[in-house]
């Protein structure tokens, strides 16, 4: 079930699964190439759960509660969670 809406013009920059960045690794998410400061719209019952602050490699993050369980939105701009 989709929980976030993005304009169609934003492409995937890194997909889910194995990748060869920094040697062998597994990417457990999907990255979208959006301009800095882009807004995120939660849909289908998803709600803001908490600000996770700076998470290291994941950058700034928030946790979102969805009907299927919680998910994290990473690589956000500092101060963007409201």
């Amino acid at each position: 079930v989709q929980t976030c809406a993005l304009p169609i013009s934003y492409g995937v920059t890194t997909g889910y699964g194995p990748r060869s960045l920094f040697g062998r690794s597994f990417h457990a998410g999907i990255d979208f190439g959006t301009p800095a400061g882009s807004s995120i719209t939660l849909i289908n019952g998803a709600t803001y759960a908490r600000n996770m602050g700076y998470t290291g490699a994941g950058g700034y993050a928030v946790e979102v509660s969805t009907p299927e369980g919680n998910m994290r939105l990473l690589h956000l701009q500092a101060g963007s969670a409201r």
Side-chain angles (χ1 to χ4, degrees):
V1 172
Q2 185 176 353
T3 55
C4 299
L6 291 172
I8 196 76
S9 61
Y10 297 149
V12 173
T13 57
T14 305
Y16 179 87
R19 65 179 180 177
S20 59
L21 182 66
F22 310 118
R24 298 184 69 159
S25 65
F26 186 87
H27 190 244
I30 300 172
D31 293 344
F32 296 92
T34 62
S38 295
S39 62
I40 298 169
T41 302
L42 302 177
I43 60 174
N44 293 336
T47 58
Y48 172 84
R50 69 183 175 108
N51 184 342
M52 297 175 61
Y54 185 74
T55 64
Y60 290 93
V62 296
E63 190 167 56
V64 173
S65 177
T66 76
E68 292 78 32
N70 286 1
M71 65 180 280
R72 295 176 179 176
L73 304 178
L74 305 173
H75 310 302
L76 303 176
Q77 191 172 14
S80 62
R82 296 183 192 93

